[in-house]
Amino acid sequence: MRRTRRQFIQAAAKAGGVAAALTLAPTGGRAHAEPGRAVAVFGAGPAGLTVAHELAERGFSVTVFEKLGDFGGKTRSIYTPDGLPGEHGFRSFFGFYHNLPDTLRRIPFPGNPHGVWDNLTRLNAAMIAGMGRHNLTIPLPFPLPFSQFPETPKQFVDSIVAVFESLFRLPPQEAVFAAERLAVFVSSCDERKLGQWEKMTWTDFARLDNSSPEYNRFLGDGFIRELVATKSRNCSAHSIGLVGEEYVWSLLNLNNDGDGKGNDRVMNGPTSETWINPWIDYLRSIGVTFHQGYKLTGLATDGAHITGATVTDASGARHGVDADYYVAAIPLDKIPAVLTDELTAADPNLDRIRNLQAAWMVGIQFFLTRPAPLANGHVGYNDAPWGLTSISEAQFWRRPLTAYGDGSVQEVLSAIISEWDEPGTFNGKPARQCTPEELARETWSQIKAHVDHDGDNPLTDDMLRSWQIDPALTNAGTPDIDYDDAIFIQNPGSWDDRPNAWTDIDNLFLAGDWIKTQMNVACMEGANEGGRLAANAVLHASGSAAPPAQITPRYRMPLWEPLKAVDLQLYRAGQPNAFDVIDRRYPMVR
């Protein structure tokens, strides 16, 4: 049977496809582009830069348009006016990432045989902090009670129960229930994960509302914020379960990227210096052209084809962009503004993007005059109503912080505020109603309260030199408060509304962590995979003979594959998963 152009693009993109460089003038003229190989990429975050990277290396002529004055999107460093480096508080390069590390190895960095990848440094611990209780610091990877790897699912479940009982001190009944929920998820077939667990929140799946505080600490938001900096009550069980499953295998040193890099890594300096700037330099060296200060504001179509794009500069002036292929790699919350009736008529699936949701996860940095390595990794503040996480940066950076600013800063405690509607512990106000000064004071107080034990606090007010809130947060303390850098959240049922990298418009493509990717959650690996998918779709649409950008498939634990095959039959028969015995969940009638 003859396949449609769309089916060809889908097959090629899933297998891995490719594309490369270009030069577009913002006034619309093409420069030095071979016929049929000019690509305009809108957005210079990890997704857009990945598209440019893959296509430029395969001979395409690529121009990237970025609305900001800096490149890198949420991954970039944000410097204070006096030169101190600020970082978004949650940024992990997990061991189970494979596509992003491949890109890092292909970005040259002086003195590094493996390029930017050599700038990754491992984290050795994670801390779960609480108020009025001793904090739990977990070594990474933390020791599991396996003298040898379990040979049967029962042995695996028994071992996980032992972890919850001994390490996390859960009551026996909750330890068994927690292990059961994990066993249910990892033994569920793909159809059940999408058809059943995708439709409910992690809170519902794990029964967080009817469990003890300790259970919530380790299977609820304390655990979840350490992985994806999101919230259990508005994220699908499917999304959280997938990344949690990957993390468990990573803790067991299964499927980790690199030798000796561990299961969680960060950069060894400000991210722009150690990754983003070298990436831009490399892309320019292979022909990519960049235009900063230009925001995508329009896409014109004749019903089957994009006939041109419009970008608007900081002064409000509009400029035409002419290319053969157009890739929208802009954040999810910016896409609806360019979805005209003509575009959604040409591809009705695009209209479903409007159903997707984004949330505020705002970075704040505290610049300290003394080191404060609370943990050799990320810290989750379980009793913080503002959903805080943080990391102490200085311990991982090769260049001392005293080399920045006036030399007085020795630590950057970089945090994230991810809950904006709950009253603060000390000022009683939701973050959404606070002025910048109130946000900083309350966040600092919540963090201090979590690490203060018997009057011994590693954080004191006299060591706080200054602070900085992400400049994307505007009008704080007024009814017009807004945040211009929201992050995609995988609310229940969102998978069906997420688009593919290709569209029914033959030269329009999408890239980002919010499109359909096997990584599933909003993260740098998902953005990189989304960029590769878009590049592969461009490759196929152009008829390029270049090899595709490779996409590493998700790891599938062999121990569970026979059970997944059984579960497929159970699911299709409308029956619960075989491990679902304590709190049986039947699939909805389909």
Side-chain angles (χ1 to χ4, degrees):
M1 183 177 72
R2 180 179 176 83
R3 291 197 292 178
T4 66
R5 180 186 182 92
R6 179 179 176 85
Q7 288 170 327
F8 270 116
I9 292 175
Q10 290 174 344
K14 289 178 181 178
V18 197
L22 127 87
T23 315
L24 286 180
T27 54
R30 300 184 192 177
H32 313 302
E34 294 182 21
R37 297 172 72 83
V39 184
V41 177
F42 303 98
L49 295 178
T50 298
V51 175
H53 191 149
E54 298 297 341
L55 292 177
E57 287 191 340
R58 291 161 175 83
F60 283 72
S61 186
V62 181
T63 294
V64 177
F65 296 87
E66 169 56 46
K67 74 167 187 173
L68 299 177
D70 297 312
F71 300 114
K74 195 176 280 291
T75 64
R76 75 193 189 284
S77 304
I78 302 174
Y79 292 81
T80 65
D82 56 351
L84 296 173
E87 297 284 305
H88 193 261
F90 187 95
R91 187 174 300 135
S92 283
F93 298 79
F94 288 116
F96 56 83
Y97 290 2
H98 290 281
N99 297 304
L100 180 58
D102 171 70
T103 297
L104 299 181
R105 290 182 175 92
R106 292 157 50 201
I107 302 170
F109 192 91
N112 288 358
H114 304 105
V116 164
W117 185 85
D118 284 335
N119 289 337
L120 291 176
T121 183
R122 67 177 292 169
L123 308 184
N124 295 313
M127 177 189 285
I128 300 176
M131 292 178 60
R133 67 179 94 190
H134 287 286
N135 299 326
L136 176 63
T137 299
I138 304 171
L140 295 177
F142 66 75
L144 293 175
F146 300 158
S147 56
Q148 59 182 21
F149 194 82
E151 297 180 356
T152 68
K154 183 179 185 306
Q155 291 175 354
F156 180 84
V157 172
D158 288 345
S159 296
I160 295 299
V161 171
V163 169
F164 284 129
E165 283 186 318
S166 58
L167 183 61
F168 296 158
R169 298 183 180 180
L170 292 185
Q173 68 275 14
E174 285 197 331
V176 171
F177 181 68
E180 184 230 44
R181 301 319 293 160
L182 296 180
V184 165
F185 189 86
V186 299
S187 64
S188 289
C189 64
D190 293 343
E191 283 191 22
R192 187 185 298 276
K193 286 175 179 174
L194 276 174
Q196 186 172 5
W197 309 137
E198 169 67 17
K199 310 302 183 186
M200 65 175 62
T201 66
W202 181 258
T203 292
D204 187 13
F205 175 82
R207 285 290 191 239
L208 298 179
D209 286 340
N210 300 310
S211 303
S212 70
E214 290 302 314
Y215 179 93
N216 272 270
R217 278 186 102 199
F218 301 111
L219 215 63
D221 283 338
F223 156 74
I224 291 164
R225 287 201 293 263
E226 286 299 302
L227 289 180
V228 288
T230 190
K231 294 171 284 190
S232 60
R233 67 174 179 270
N234 61 10
C235 194
S236 77
H238 172 226
S239 296
I240 290 178
L242 282 180
V243 72
E245 184 179 356
E246 292 273 15
Y247 192 69
V248 168
W249 307 144
S250 177
L251 286 173
L252 296 172
N253 286 318
L254 298 172
N255 191 43
N256 276 339
D257 162 74
D259 183 20
K261 286 283 191 180
N263 72 302
D264 195 359
R265 297 84 58 92
V266 293
M267 285 291 170
N268 62 5
T271 308
S272 288
E273 298 175 26
T274 55
W275 173 24
I276 301 301
N277 293 345
W279 201 3
I280 300 299
D281 291 343
Y282 172 67
L283 294 180
R284 282 181 167 139
S285 76
I286 59 175
V288 177
T289 297
F290 290 91
H291 294 297
Q292 292 174 265
Y294 292 92
K295 175 184 177 181
L296 175 65
T297 51
L299 292 165
T301 179
D302 60 9
H305 192 78
I306 297 297
T307 56
T310 301
V311 293
T312 302
D313 64 25
S315 71
R318 295 161 63 86
H319 308 267
V321 176
D322 181 25
D324 298 303
Y325 304 98
Y326 300 82
V327 182
I330 61 180
L332 167 65
D333 61 323
K334 305 300 185 294
I335 284 286
V338 298
L339 291 181
T340 62
D341 291 343
E342 290 76 17
L343 284 174
T344 56
D347 184 351
N349 288 320
L350 293 175
D351 197 43
R352 303 180 69 173
I353 295 173
R354 301 181 192 276
N355 298 331
L356 299 176
Q357 299 178 16
W360 294 8
M361 293 181 184
V362 181
I364 179 170
Q365 296 85 44
F366 297 99
F367 299 101
L368 312 180
T369 57
R370 296 196 299 273
L374 303 180
N376 190 254
H378 290 97
V379 180
Y381 301 91
N382 268 33
D383 299 322
W386 286 4
L388 305 179
T389 53
S390 78
I391 188 168
S392 302
E393 303 277 10
Q395 61 190 316
F396 304 111
W397 289 0
R398 287 187 302 188
R399 187 182 182 194
L401 269 164
T402 52
Y404 296 89
D406 62 6
S408 65
V409 170
Q410 297 188 39
E411 181 67 272
V412 178
L413 182 65
S414 186
I416 281 182
I417 304 170
S418 59
E419 174 54 68
W420 286 78
D421 296 309
E422 292 294 322
T425 303
F426 299 95
N427 68 9
K429 297 175 64 174
R432 193 179 299 274
Q433 297 178 10
C434 291
T435 65
E437 291 75 16
E438 290 171 332
L439 286 170
R441 189 181 308 115
E442 176 69 18
T443 302
W444 176 249
S445 296
Q446 288 185 30
I447 290 175
K448 285 197 304 176
H450 279 73
V451 297
D452 182 15
H453 297 293
D454 301 322
D456 182 16
N457 197 324
L459 302 176
T460 57
D461 291 343
D462 66 302
M463 64 194 297
L464 177 58
R465 176 192 179 276
S466 58
W467 49 269
Q468 171 182 251
I469 296 178
D470 187 338
L473 184 74
T474 56
N475 298 316
T478 78
D480 297 322
I481 186 172
D482 196 14
Y483 184 57
D484 196 39
D485 203 7
I487 188 171
F488 167 54
I489 57 171
Q490 303 77 43
N491 55 294
S494 60
W495 180 262
D496 291 338
D497 293 321
R498 294 168 70 172
N500 290 304
W502 50 90
T503 73
D504 283 340
I505 302 170
D506 64 2
N507 62 340
L508 175 63
F509 307 92
L510 307 173
D513 56 13
W514 50 270
I515 71 169
K516 280 188 170 78
T517 68
Q518 62 177 353
M519 191 66 238
N520 194 282
V521 300
C523 62
M524 295 181 293
E525 174 77 350
N528 184 271
E529 181 187 342
R532 289 173 182 238
L533 287 166
N536 288 346
V538 171
L539 273 182
H540 184 79
S542 70
S544 173
Q550 294 305 305
I551 297 173
T552 301
R554 291 181 61 88
Y555 177 72
R556 300 183 72 93
M557 174 60 170
L559 181 67
W560 298 100
E561 289 306 300
L563 290 172
K564 290 181 181 179
V566 172
D567 187 61
L568 179 61
Q569 302 307 313
L570 291 172
Y571 178 70
R572 290 179 174 176
Q575 297 298 311
N577 179 275
F579 283 90
D580 217 341
V581 295
I582 299 176
D583 181 20
R584 293 175 74 76
R585 301 296 186 93
Y586 287 82
M588 296 178 63
V589 176
R590 290 166 294 127

